[in-house]
Every structure is written in structure tokens, then in C-alpha cells.
Amino acid sequence: MAAQLRVLRRRIRSVKSTGKITKAQELIATSRIARAQERVAAAQPYAHAITGVLTALASGANIEHPLLTPRERVRRAGVLVVTSDRGMCGGYNANVIRTAEQLIARLRSDGIEPVLYVIGRKGVAYYRFRNRDIAESWTGFSEQPAFDDAREAGQTLIDAFNAGADDTDGGFGPDGLPGIDELYAVYTHLASMVSQVPTVTRVAPMEIEETDKPSTGIPPAYEFEPDAASLLDSLLPKYINTRIYAALLDSAASESAARRAAMKAASDNANDIARTLTREMNAARQAAITQEISEIVGGVDALAASGSEE
């Protein structure tokens, strides 16, 4: 009985210690969610502005640009998968990887070769464990991404997209570099504090967004200084970097929200287990006390009986 009590006490201490860790992780994630949402909101005006400017440029100037013009033959498509660097966030990584796998399967069914680019240690570990080729990976900033992180990844992706412009069915073109003809980003959108939705968006070539303003039937006239081609060369890479940065911020907020929910559930489970084990320990201790009392009473009765016989 004493051994059973020692085991129960040790299990209770272990569960309570784990509960303290998960509670701390829950509080940290809660504190990060508000800051992450503020960063998402702060980045939106610039993203909307640069999208509007590029839409006006693309609509008002008859210019063919590699980042604007869909390829006649799509041979390879880049898939940027945004995951977390740490675990303990429930199904956050599993959901985004599942969505990426569905996209990869769809691309292959269309005869398009997917090229993987991964952000986050969890995604890198997932694909390396399965011996999947990763063209490039970036880690260490999933919870607090900076624009420099997005620019580093964006430049690699832009170079790959530009390299694919001269690719042919038989090879990689005059430059000899394997490129991509499309670029997709797979990340998690924070729909609400309890809902994080894996999202697929096409980053390149840029999709011209329709404006909400009513059309007057007369297209607007623009004067460009410098010329429209130079502006597009300068702004389109910034647009790609901005889209990637927005995806990183949205994913960071979703990661914190998912970790908060997972850690709250873990803390609640730890408390429930501790209560169950405490009741079990109290019952075992009560049984031991009852047994000791019974043995004492039995001993007293035996002594009394032997004394009466004398």
C-alpha cells in the first residue's frame, strides 16, 4: 500500500509540473497574439496601396513583364509552405502541410512538377524525414518574422521565377538554371481566435485585382515618371516580398492562437488528471488507514480474549 501511495504522489507531482509548463506556454502565446494581430493590421495599408498602384500600372500600360504575364506552358510550380519552428501548437503544422500536399497532388495531376520551398523547422523536418527534395528553406523566425526575412525568401523565389522564363520542355534554357513558372504560398490565415484556416494563394504571376469603383466606360490615362517598365521592375519585387511578409505575419498570429488553444487544453487535462490521481491517492490512503485500524482493533480483541481465558 505504501508503495502505491509513493507512485501516486510521484505521478501527481509530475502532472502538476507539466501543467505549470503548459500554463506558462499558454500565457506566453496569449501575450503574443495581440502583438501579432497589430502587426498584421499595420502591414495591410501598405499591401493594399502597392497592390492598387501595380493594378493601375498594369491596367494603364501595355507592358509585358515576367511577373505579370502567365507562362504559355507551366512546367514547374514553386510551393512555399509556411510552418512553425516549434511544436506544441495542436494541428497547426499538420493542417498546413496537408493543404500543401493537396496542392502538390493537384499540380502533379496537371502535369506540373512542384518545387518545394519551406519556412519553419517543422516543415523542413517533415519533408526531410520523407526524403523529399527541398529547393530552399528558412528557419528561426516563424513566431516573430521581420520584413528582411520575407525579402530574403522573396529574392530567392523571384530569381527562380525569372530563371523559368526561358525554360523549355527539353531543358532549362540558355541560362541553364532550373526555374519555376508559377509560385504559390501555403500558409495559415487567422480567421478568429478559435479558427485558423490553411490558405493557398498564387503569388506569381501577379493576378490583377478588380477595383470596386464603378466603371465610367473611359479608361483612365496615366503619365509615368520614370517609364512604366522601370516602375514595374522596381515595384513588382516589392509586391512579392510584401505578399510573403503578409503571409508570414498571418501565420505567426495563427501559430500563437493555435498554441494558446493547445496549451489551454493541455493545462485543463493536467488539472483533471491531477484531481483524479489525488482522489485515487486519498482513497488508497483511507483504505490503508482503515486496514491499520482494523488490525489494531483485531489485535486488541485478541489480547482481550487471551486475558479472559487466563
Side-chain angles (χ1 to χ4, degrees):
M1 188 64 69
Q4 182 184 3
L5 290 174
R6 283 196 300 270
V7 170
L8 289 172
R9 289 192 183 99
R10 185 165 61 247
R11 290 182 63 188
I12 291 171
R13 286 196 299 268
S14 176
V15 169
K16 287 184 176 180
S17 177
T18 302
K20 291 178 181 179
I21 295 173
T22 56
K23 186 64 176 179
Q25 291 289 338
E26 177 190 347
L27 295 175
I28 292 171
T30 301
S31 67
R32 286 179 174 173
I33 291 173
R35 292 199 298 269
Q37 288 178 315
E38 290 174 358
R39 297 183 71 189
V40 171
Q44 286 178 350
Y46 178 78
H48 292 326
I50 194 170
T51 301
V53 170
L54 285 172
T55 299
L57 279 173
S59 303
N62 187 18
I63 297 176
E64 291 188 1
H65 193 279
L67 289 174
L68 285 175
T69 307
R71 306 279 165 82
E72 293 183 2
R73 171 79 167 85
V74 178
R75 301 168 182 84
R76 285 175 295 278
V79 180
L80 175 65
V81 186
V82 183
T83 63
S84 69
D85 289 316
R86 297 193 299 128
M88 298 189 295
C89 49
Y92 170 82
N93 290 304
N95 292 334
V96 73
I97 289 174
R98 185 185 304 110
T99 302
E101 290 296 295
Q102 292 171 354
L103 172 62
I104 290 171
R106 179 173 63 81
L107 291 172
R108 284 177 174 158
S109 66
D110 293 339
I112 301 172
E113 177 187 353
V115 181
L116 271 173
Y117 299 88
V118 184
I119 292 177
R121 292 189 180 95
K122 291 299 178 180
V124 172
Y126 174 87
Y127 288 111
R128 284 182 177 170
F129 180 77
R130 289 158 179 78
N131 296 321
R132 302 275 291 276
D133 292 332
I134 299 176
E136 190 66 59
S137 63
W138 303 270
T139 60
F141 52 82
S142 70
E143 292 183 84
Q144 295 178 326
F147 188 76
D148 288 340
D149 301 319
R151 181 162 48 202
E152 179 183 355
Q155 189 57 53
T156 300
L157 296 169
I158 291 170
D159 291 343
F161 189 82
N162 290 332
D166 60 356
D167 287 0
T168 62
D169 291 334
F172 297 141
D175 58 9
L177 300 174
I180 57 177
D181 301 306
E182 287 182 341
L183 174 60
Y184 295 89
V186 185
Y187 63 98
T188 307
H189 169 62
L190 181 65
S192 67
M193 292 296 293
V194 296
S195 176
Q196 299 86 43
V197 183
T199 303
V200 178
T201 181
R202 195 179 82 174
V203 179
M206 175 185 171
E207 295 177 339
I208 304 300
E209 298 184 2
E210 297 293 336
T211 61
D212 296 332
K213 297 180 180 180
S215 174
T216 60
I218 302 175
Y222 294 96
E223 292 183 1
F224 302 105
E225 180 63 35
D227 59 279
S230 300
L231 287 173
L232 286 174
D233 287 337
S234 176
L235 290 178
L236 278 171
K238 291 182 173 62
Y239 168 78
I240 300 296
N241 295 337
T242 300
R243 291 288 300 273
I244 295 174
Y245 184 51
L248 291 179
L249 292 178
D250 211 355
S251 294
S254 300
E255 178 184 345
S256 295
R259 182 169 290 114
R260 175 185 176 275
M263 292 299 98
K264 185 179 186 307
S267 299
D268 293 341
N269 290 337
N271 292 334
D272 292 340
I273 293 173
R275 282 194 295 268
T276 301
L277 291 175
T278 300
R279 285 195 296 267
E280 186 177 343
M281 183 187 67
N282 290 338
R285 186 167 54 188
Q286 184 64 42
I289 294 172
T290 302
Q291 182 179 355
E292 291 176 0
I293 292 174
S294 300
E295 291 174 354
I296 293 172
V297 171
V300 170
D301 291 341
L303 289 174
S306 61
S308 62
E309 291 176 358
E310 293 175 357

Short mmCIF file of all heavy atoms in Angstrom, two decimals, residues 290-304:
data_model
loop_
_atom_site.label_atom_id
_atom_site.label_comp_id
_atom_site.label_asym_id
_atom_site.label_seq_id
_atom_site.Cartn_x
_atom_site.Cartn_y
_atom_site.Cartn_z
N THR A 290 -7.91 2.55 7.24
CA THR A 290 -8.96 1.62 7.68
C THR A 290 -8.39 0.25 8.00
O THR A 290 -8.75 -0.39 9.00
CB THR A 290 -10.04 1.51 6.60
OG1 THR A 290 -10.57 2.81 6.32
CG2 THR A 290 -11.16 0.58 7.04
N GLN A 291 -7.46 -0.19 7.13
CA GLN A 291 -6.84 -1.50 7.37
C GLN A 291 -6.02 -1.49 8.66
O GLN A 291 -6.06 -2.45 9.43
CB GLN A 291 -5.95 -1.87 6.18
CG GLN A 291 -5.30 -3.23 6.32
CD GLN A 291 -4.45 -3.58 5.10
OE1 GLN A 291 -4.43 -2.85 4.12
NE2 GLN A 291 -3.76 -4.71 5.18
N GLU A 292 -5.28 -0.40 8.90
CA GLU A 292 -4.49 -0.32 10.14
C GLU A 292 -5.39 -0.33 11.37
O GLU A 292 -5.09 -0.98 12.38
CB GLU A 292 -3.62 0.93 10.11
CG GLU A 292 -2.50 0.88 9.08
CD GLU A 292 -1.72 2.20 9.01
OE1 GLU A 292 -2.07 3.13 9.78
OE2 GLU A 292 -0.79 2.29 8.18
N ILE A 293 -6.51 0.44 11.28
CA ILE A 293 -7.44 0.46 12.42
C ILE A 293 -8.02 -0.93 12.66
O ILE A 293 -8.15 -1.39 13.80
CB ILE A 293 -8.56 1.49 12.17
CG1 ILE A 293 -7.99 2.92 12.19
CG2 ILE A 293 -9.66 1.36 13.21
CD1 ILE A 293 -8.97 3.99 11.81
N SER A 294 -8.38 -1.60 11.56
CA SER A 294 -8.92 -2.95 11.70
C SER A 294 -7.91 -3.89 12.34
O SER A 294 -8.27 -4.73 13.19
CB SER A 294 -9.34 -3.49 10.33
OG SER A 294 -10.34 -2.67 9.74
N GLU A 295 -6.65 -3.76 11.94
CA GLU A 295 -5.61 -4.61 12.53
C GLU A 295 -5.42 -4.31 14.01
O GLU A 295 -5.23 -5.23 14.83
CB GLU A 295 -4.30 -4.42 11.77
CG GLU A 295 -4.34 -4.97 10.35
CD GLU A 295 -3.08 -4.64 9.57
OE1 GLU A 295 -2.24 -3.88 10.11
OE2 GLU A 295 -2.94 -5.13 8.44
N ILE A 296 -5.47 -3.01 14.37
CA ILE A 296 -5.32 -2.64 15.79
C ILE A 296 -6.49 -3.18 16.60
O ILE A 296 -6.31 -3.76 17.69
CB ILE A 296 -5.22 -1.11 15.92
CG1 ILE A 296 -3.91 -0.61 15.30
CG2 ILE A 296 -5.32 -0.69 17.39
CD1 ILE A 296 -3.80 0.89 15.22
N VAL A 297 -7.71 -2.98 16.07
CA VAL A 297 -8.89 -3.48 16.79
C VAL A 297 -8.83 -4.99 16.93
O VAL A 297 -9.14 -5.57 17.99
CB VAL A 297 -10.18 -3.04 16.07
CG1 VAL A 297 -11.39 -3.74 16.68
CG2 VAL A 297 -10.33 -1.54 16.14
N GLY A 298 -8.40 -5.63 15.84
CA GLY A 298 -8.28 -7.09 15.90
C GLY A 298 -7.27 -7.54 16.93
O GLY A 298 -7.47 -8.52 17.67
N GLY A 299 -6.13 -6.79 16.99
CA GLY A 299 -5.12 -7.12 17.98
C GLY A 299 -5.61 -6.92 19.40
O GLY A 299 -5.33 -7.74 20.29
N VAL A 300 -6.33 -5.83 19.63
CA VAL A 300 -6.88 -5.56 20.97
C VAL A 300 -7.86 -6.64 21.36
O VAL A 300 -7.86 -7.15 22.50
CB VAL A 300 -7.55 -4.17 20.99
CG1 VAL A 300 -8.33 -3.99 22.29
CG2 VAL A 300 -6.51 -3.09 20.82
N ASP A 301 -8.73 -7.04 20.41
CA ASP A 301 -9.69 -8.09 20.71
C ASP A 301 -8.99 -9.40 21.03
O ASP A 301 -9.42 -10.16 21.94
CB ASP A 301 -10.65 -8.28 19.53
CG ASP A 301 -11.58 -7.10 19.34
OD1 ASP A 301 -11.74 -6.31 20.30
OD2 ASP A 301 -12.15 -6.97 18.22
N ALA A 302 -7.92 -9.69 20.28
CA ALA A 302 -7.18 -10.93 20.54
C ALA A 302 -6.54 -10.90 21.92
O ALA A 302 -6.56 -11.91 22.66
CB ALA A 302 -6.13 -11.12 19.47
N LEU A 303 -5.95 -9.75 22.31
CA LEU A 303 -5.35 -9.66 23.65
C LEU A 303 -6.38 -9.77 24.73
O LEU A 303 -6.18 -10.42 25.79
CB LEU A 303 -4.61 -8.32 23.78
CG LEU A 303 -3.30 -8.17 22.97
CD1 LEU A 303 -2.76 -6.76 23.09
CD2 LEU A 303 -2.27 -9.20 23.43
N ALA A 304 -7.56 -9.13 24.48
CA ALA A 304 -8.63 -9.21 25.46
C ALA A 304 -9.12 -10.64 25.63
O ALA A 304 -9.40 -11.13 26.73
CB ALA A 304 -9.79 -8.28 25.08
#
